[in-house]
Amino acid sequence: AGGTGGAISEAHLLEAAWEQISGLVAAFTQTVESPALPSPQVESGTVYLLRPGRMRWEYSHPRGKLAIADGERTYLYLPEDRQALVAPLPRDASGGGMELLLRSHLDLERDFTIGWGEPAEAGGGRPLRLTPRGGGGDYRELLLTTDADHLPRTLVVIDALGGRITYRFSDIRKVASLDAGLFRFTPPPGVKLQRVRP
């Protein structure tokens, strides 16, 4: 009932707001819900983003966990496993959803069917529902909620089996640049790099 047009307008406002961002720092909470997990798994920390292509997720819970995108590759360091996984950075909508925020240019209408989703919580904002055109990605759809500044506050990645990862962002601070060293990954002594096929 005319809702899709409003959703497309909001998507354009998000694109315009995102074009103005070169970098940002924010607190995040990441909640993983899956039929395979007995209860939701909640992790948190600080995210640093520098467009295009660079991101650092520094976890305070669990302490020491680290995820980095350096513009070419992604690294996931899991201290309890004493290993680091490395994979090529996705160049298109086939990634895990979060690569959307790393692109040099957002074109949501080209890559997604756009509509409205159901609010995640009572009184919460209405999320954009982004369904990848052509499918084949690591996820079935994205639910993206913005604030009055049209920047993302919540991103929910829903996979084909109904599992979901919810990222919530707060204390967002825009920055013109960030230290390049934040986006370099050096394996700690004794940690093996394990390559993951895309």
Side-chain angles (χ1 to χ4, degrees):
T4 303
I8 289 171
S9 297
E10 176 56 38
H12 289 165
L13 290 168
L14 164 63
E15 290 167 351
W18 201 244
E19 291 293 320
Q20 305 304 312
I21 295 277
S22 47
L24 60 78
V25 180
F28 76 88
T29 302
Q30 173 185 323
T31 305
V32 179
E33 298 166 275
S34 161
L37 291 172
S39 60
Q41 183 182 0
V42 182
E43 301 178 339
S44 58
T46 304
V47 60
Y48 304 84
L49 180 140
L50 198 61
R51 296 176 57 236
R54 286 165 291 174
M55 204 178 241
R56 177 188 182 95
W57 300 80
E58 208 169 86
Y59 290 77
S60 50
H61 178 79
R63 187 164 298 286
K65 181 177 174 180
L66 190 61
I68 289 178
D70 66 4
E72 296 293 326
R73 294 176 191 80
T74 61
Y75 299 87
L76 176 63
Y77 171 52
L78 304 165
E80 69 277 14
D81 295 342
R82 303 286 301 152
Q83 70 171 1
L85 308 176
V86 56
L89 184 68
R91 294 286 174 210
D92 53 27
S94 69
M98 195 49 73
E99 91 292 333
L100 189 71
L101 303 182
L102 292 175
R103 297 182 191 178
S104 55
H105 178 67
L106 274 185
D107 188 342
L108 297 176
E109 271 194 278
R110 180 193 65 202
D111 296 331
F112 298 95
T113 302
I114 300 170
W116 290 115
E118 292 301 315
E121 52 249 340
R126 205 172 169 200
L128 287 172
R129 182 192 301 275
L130 305 176
T131 307
R133 294 185 187 276
D138 292 345
Y139 55 89
R140 189 178 73 207
E141 63 185 21
L142 304 176
L143 298 175
L144 186 58
T145 308
T146 58
D147 210 342
D149 58 7
H150 305 292
L151 293 177
R153 288 305 187 278
T154 308
L155 175 66
V156 183
V157 182
I158 302 174
D159 68 28
L161 301 175
R164 59 176 57 206
I165 304 175
T166 302
Y167 301 91
R168 287 187 173 82
F169 304 103
S170 59
D171 303 325
I172 293 178
R173 191 162 48 88
K174 299 179 198 177
V175 294
S177 66
L178 287 163
D179 181 356
L182 283 170
F183 308 104
R184 277 197 291 271
F185 179 72
T186 306
V191 169
K192 296 196 299 287
L193 270 182
Q194 184 177 331
R195 298 194 180 278
V196 179
R197 292 196 177 280

